[in-house]
Amino acid sequence: MIYRERCQSKISKSHKSSESGFTIIESLVAIIVVTLLMIAISPVIVLAVANRVQARRVEMASQAARSYIDGVRAESIEPPSNIIKDSTGSTLNSKLPPTTGNLNCSANAYCPGARELYCIDNDGDGACRNTSTTDLIVQAFGAIPVDGTGTSVYSTQGYQGYRLGVRVYRAYVFSQAGTFPQPNGQKQASFGGGLGLSKLPLVELSSEMVVTNRDTYRTICKDAGQVKGC
């Protein structure tokens, strides 16, 4: 009887030991499966986050471009100083991009120099610098369409105006080496995180501008190269 009980005790311990070992193996398999799943889905998660960030960035750039255009239209922001006359209709597309370098621009104002680069301060530090990942720079330029005689097309239609073009760049890319590529109508996509395309504008827009102040329009025409009909 004693021998039988000892045998049963050994069998019971052996059975428990085998069950414990099997549970450990199951745990290891589960860990491996979860790890493989995480490795498989992590690129999708990263890409989804990057797409969301880029889409938000493009949305903010669109708001900045429209705010600038509305400000110029309401005459609360001076028009850019590089408005020229255009007899080909392609001046806005062929406008050269800005150059890289240091930025030291006050918030909601043109950067020092010609009225071309306008600061949109999104981080609230009162300035736009090329170390900021949230500040935006609006490149503004314009053209007065003229006919073969050099007369403003708008004046023949009975009003004073010009075409305003804007491109919006991230302030951070001004710190990068090299030059900005000529956009030729290209801009960053709202998906993919903008990888490899950081120097393209986030947004590029153009708008017809009507100038109600006669003296202001004459100054614009003079700076553009003595446009007739102003």
Side-chain angles (χ1 to χ4, degrees):
M1 179 65 70
I2 294 174
Y3 176 75
R4 184 176 179 181
E5 289 178 353
R6 288 179 178 176
C7 288
Q8 288 178 346
S9 176
K10 289 181 179 180
I11 292 172
S12 177
K13 289 180 180 180
S14 176
H15 182 64
K16 290 180 179 179
S17 177
S18 64
E19 285 183 347
S20 299
F22 188 73
T23 301
I24 292 174
I25 292 174
E26 283 184 328
S27 300
L28 290 174
V29 170
I31 292 172
I32 292 172
V33 170
V34 171
T35 301
L36 292 176
L37 287 175
M38 290 299 295
I39 293 173
I41 67 175
S42 58
V44 178
I45 295 174
V46 171
L47 184 59
V49 172
N51 286 343
R52 185 171 182 177
V53 170
Q54 179 68 2
R56 175 58 178 164
R57 190 179 290 144
V58 171
E59 180 184 359
M60 292 178 65
S62 298
Q63 293 175 355
R66 297 190 184 282
S67 295
Y68 174 83
I69 291 173
D70 290 343
V72 174
R73 181 174 286 117
E75 298 183 1
S76 60
I77 299 176
E78 288 187 88
S81 58
N82 55 2
I83 298 175
I84 61 174
K85 59 183 177 181
D86 178 19
S87 60
T88 64
S90 61
T91 298
L92 294 184
N93 290 334
S94 61
K95 171 65 180 177
L96 294 176
T99 56
T100 57
N102 293 328
L103 290 175
N104 188 17
C105 314
S106 299
N108 304 319
Y110 284 105
C111 299
R115 296 193 307 272
E116 178 179 359
L117 301 182
Y118 190 87
C119 165
I120 303 295
D121 177 29
N122 285 327
D123 57 16
D125 65 351
C128 286
R129 298 183 177 87
N130 61 8
T131 55
S132 173
T133 57
T134 57
D135 289 344
L136 298 173
I137 297 295
V138 176
Q139 182 193 21
F141 44 93
I144 301 176
V146 296
D147 58 21
T149 65
T151 302
S152 169
V153 173
Y154 294 142
S155 67
T156 61
Q157 297 173 358
Y159 66 95
Q160 306 168 145
Y162 62 95
R163 290 183 62 204
L164 176 66
V166 296
R167 296 171 184 153
V168 183
Y169 295 88
R170 296 174 60 192
Y172 180 75
V173 300
F174 282 79
S175 66
Q176 298 178 3
T179 59
F180 286 92
Q182 181 67 34
N184 293 323
Q186 291 183 317
K187 55 188 177 182
Q188 292 187 35
S190 59
F191 56 89
L195 296 176
L197 302 172
S198 61
K199 288 186 178 180
L200 283 176
L202 291 163
V203 170
E204 185 174 34
L205 296 175
S206 65
S207 180
E208 304 290 336
M209 308 297 290
V210 176
V211 182
T212 57
N213 188 299
R214 183 69 176 174
D215 292 334
T216 299
Y217 191 59
R218 284 176 177 172
T219 301
I220 292 174
C221 289
K222 182 179 179 180
D223 293 341
Q226 297 295 345
V227 178
K228 297 178 182 179
C230 291

